[in-house]
Every structure is written in C-alpha cells, then in structure tokens.
Amino acid sequence: MALDTWLIYLLASIGLSLTPGPNSLLALTHGALYGARRTLFTIVGGVFGFSALIALTMFGLSALLQASASLLGVLKWLGGAYLLWLGIQLWRSPALHLEQPQGSARLSNAGLFRQGCLSAMANPKVLLFYGAFLPQFIDPQRGLLLQFVVMAATFASVECLVEYLLARLAFRIRPWLAKGGRGFNRCCGGLFAVIGVALPLGR
C-alpha cells in the first residue's frame, strides 16, 4: 500500500476501534470483572473473530475485482454512502451507560476467548461494514493479497491495543462514557461521515 493511503487507513481503524460496540463494551465489562490480564483472552478472541470476517470480506472483494475491475468504483460509492449513513446514526446516538451484570458466573479463560470471538462474529453488521470500509483503501494497480494482509494486520493490532487500554481503564472510563460519551460518539460519527464522502471523491 502507498504510505499516505495506509496512514489514512490507520487513522480510520483507530476511529473504528474507539467507536462503542459489542466488543469494546465486552472488554470494558470483563476488565472491570476480571482485570486487564485475563481480559486479554476476550480481546484475542475478538481479534480472531474480526480477522475471520475481514478475510471473508477480502476473498469476496478479490473475486469481484478479478471478475471486473470497474466494480471497485461502484463499491466505493456504495460503501461511502453506507459509511456516511453510519456516521449520521452514530452522531445521533446517546451516550452509553455500561452496567456490570449482577451475580454473573466467573468465566474460564476459554470462556472469555469464546465470548470475545462470538461477540465479533455474531454481528452481521460487521461484515457489511467491512464490505463498505475496505474498498475505500484498495489500489487495483497494486497486489491485492499484500494490501489485504497489511489492512488486516493493521486493524487487528489497533483493535487489540485499544481494547486492552479499555480493559485497563475500565473503572475510570465508565463514568466518563456516561458524561461525555455523546460528544465522543459525534467525533467518531463525524470521522465516518468524512471518510464516506471524501474517499470516493478522491479516487
């Protein structure tokens, strides 16, 4: 990938990872219940699930691009519209109020991994999001496989780091989410909207 494209993708991946979702909430909850070290099993499970979905999306996109390279432009416009819609929805969403489950049974390390993996893979919107997100950064003039590997590794690394920080800061960040979460949602929503509008126009 071109360096400037990768840097934009890195910024977008950080914004995506910071956006409140099932796995970030799970990392917060498990961080508060089990501590950051054991929550690593949850995080690794989530990254495994995300990587599987990214691979599935990449194989589908690769097949489409091999069939017709002109489809990339269509995918970028459709994906940009979807990202813009997501940004608007996130902008309008209220602040999160994370509650610890009462009387919940303690999970084994395998159970933590399983919950993280299933949380990532059970949401069909994730697959649709990657289908909209990844085409914005594909350069059809370069090798697709290497681009896919770089994008998957970048996102997995960012997601792992962000969720681990959330787990470590679980007790401190929960009150902040309730007070300042709406403004944070607007920042992330604005980032998605900018990506959705700017990238298809810039190619």
Side-chain angles (χ1 to χ4, degrees):
M1 297 178 67
L3 180 60
D4 57 339
T5 302
W6 180 80
L7 290 174
I8 297 172
Y9 176 78
L10 176 62
L11 177 62
S13 296
I14 293 172
L16 173 59
S17 297
L18 288 172
T19 302
N23 279 76
S24 58
L25 293 179
L26 195 62
L28 276 172
T29 303
H30 285 182
L33 291 175
Y34 305 110
R37 183 172 297 181
R38 289 200 62 208
T39 305
L40 280 172
F41 289 96
T42 306
I43 295 169
V44 172
V47 169
F48 181 85
F50 282 131
S51 297
L53 290 179
I54 291 175
L56 184 61
T57 305
M58 288 176 174
F59 284 130
L61 290 174
S62 179
L64 285 174
L65 292 178
Q66 287 177 0
S68 174
S70 61
L71 283 175
L72 181 60
V74 177
L75 288 174
K76 286 185 175 182
W77 280 104
L78 292 176
Y82 180 67
L83 292 175
L84 176 61
W85 180 82
L86 280 182
I88 294 172
Q89 297 302 309
L90 187 56
W91 180 281
R92 298 170 59 184
S93 62
L96 292 169
H97 296 276
L98 179 65
E99 299 293 339
Q100 291 190 43
Q102 299 295 324
S104 58
R106 291 186 65 84
L107 294 171
S108 64
N109 293 339
L112 294 174
F113 178 90
R114 183 169 58 252
Q115 277 202 1
C117 185
L118 291 177
S119 177
M121 298 189 70
N123 187 354
K125 292 182 180 179
V126 174
L127 196 60
L128 181 59
F129 180 85
Y130 285 139
F133 184 67
L134 296 178
Q136 308 302 324
F137 302 94
I138 293 175
D139 184 351
Q141 304 303 319
R142 298 174 182 263
L144 291 177
L145 179 59
L146 183 57
Q147 291 183 76
F148 288 159
V149 170
V150 170
M151 287 192 286
T154 299
F155 180 79
S157 300
V158 169
E159 184 72 18
C160 187
L161 177 60
V162 168
E163 289 190 13
Y164 181 69
L165 291 176
L166 289 176
R168 288 191 64 88
L169 298 174
F171 287 105
R172 296 181 182 180
I173 203 171
R174 287 174 64 219
W176 179 84
L177 279 175
K179 293 180 181 179
R182 187 172 180 85
F184 181 71
N185 287 348
R186 289 183 173 181
C187 288
C188 293
L191 176 61
F192 284 158
V194 169
I195 293 172
V197 172
L199 287 180
L201 292 175
R203 294 284 178 169

